[in-house]
Amino acid sequence: MTADASTPDAAATPSRRAAPPAPEPGALDSRAALLDVDPLLDDPRTRIVVCCGSGGVGKTTTAAALGVRAAERGRKAVVLTIDPARRLAQSMGISELDNVPRRVKGIDESAGGELHAMMLDMKRTFDEIVEAHADAERARAILENPFYQSLSAGFAGTQEYMAMEKLGQLRTRDAWDLIIVDTPPSRSALDFLDAPKRLGSFLDGKFIRVLMAPAKAGGRAGMKFLNVGMSMMTGTLSKIMGGQLLRDVQTFAAAMDTMFGGFRTRADATYRLLQAPGTAFLVVAAPERDALREAAYFVERLAAEQMPLAGLVLNRVHGSGAARLSAERALAAAEALTDRDITDRDVSEAREPSGDRSENLGGNGIVDLAAGKADSRTADGPSPAAADPRTTDDAPSAARLAAGLLRLHAERMHVLSRERRTRDRFTALHPEVPVAEIAALPGDVHDLAGLRMIGDRLADQENARGRADDDAQRAEG
């Protein structure tokens, strides 16, 4: 039995190297502490890992890769995704994810681990709460209420609140010793920290309480209150909301009355669970200015909420297999090759004889102006010379091809230099945040093999950092 993550003596400190001294103001420092992912995943006291970050940075893929690696290292893990993009199911070989955890096949379970995956169904989760905390008659009245159906399907903050509910349910079941949460994209990824307060304030607010007053009022005093105060208010609300909608809201409020306290209680419990030492937040970003600006926002927000931050995962970091060749040298070589190619072409054209067109007469006396070269035609179509790219002026020479490749290399080295500077700005502002870098892959990850590769690169940070630093330094040199 693993230790309860909510107890202080079960603290799971994320594995990291000591952070370097803070740099001078305005200086750039790439010596951020390295984030060791494997000790974090292997520690039985780590029970929840929350991946947050802006959209389009590979957050879902990172969460899935962490789940695969944890399972194959012996953990019983479940990945909960709230991302509307269903890439997680595809990469794990599952036809479709829903509100029920599905076991992922193809995982190496020799170490005793296993992996499940699921996607949050917001409305179904809300329905499960109603069915679990209300008797059959009251639950039916709530589920059939039009206002409830609208609230459960798209009320602002409902998705984030239901994510908290589902996380609490998974943790309570204790069927898995590691829960990995993939949050929605953009800054709303941290809205689930506020959602319980917002929804709780709505359900416990004066507006709902006023709407519930007619149902709670009883006897002559209640009727007097209703006639004096409520008639004016409900009349105004009827004009604004419509009479039927107002009745639906009042019916919903009356049916939900006994459940309001439970919402807030469970939300508070899950919030404390997120603050517990057994939880680890990972901020996922790309080495781009906007993405790292969002990452800085997440880091500062988590610190303000006293949430345990494990570190930053910097995804899709570019590298080069020819980093010894700087951008400046590559561009200079490309220019030299281009100049030499132009000179060679000029010399070749100057040496080419103009020829005598009288020798190029056909039997019918028609002159072949192209002299049998490109674009000339025969009775059966283009001449063989026209089909040979070596005879056309548009065919690129070896020098031109080499110059083009050199320019592409120079562009890649400029990208490396820019990514290095962007990363250094972040680490200069947040030197206490450990960083793990994942090198960019040539294509999208769409299967378990790709997820394993991501996991391997996450774990190999010593070599990854060394290669990235060498490449960036050469790019700048």
Side-chain angles (χ1 to χ4, degrees), residues 23-28 428:
E24 294 295 329
L28 302 183

Side-chain angles (χ1 to χ4, degrees), residues 318-336:
H318 288 93
S320 174
R324 293 181 179 277
L325 180 60
S326 67
E328 290 73 14
R329 290 174 58 196
L331 287 175
E335 291 298 325

Side-chain angles (χ1 to χ4, degrees), residues 37 45 65 140 161-162 202 212 257 306 470:
V37 174
R45 296 170 296 179
R140 184 174 62 256
Y161 180 87
M162 291 306 137
F202 169 74
M212 290 170 54
D257 180 35
Q306 298 181 340
D470 290 345

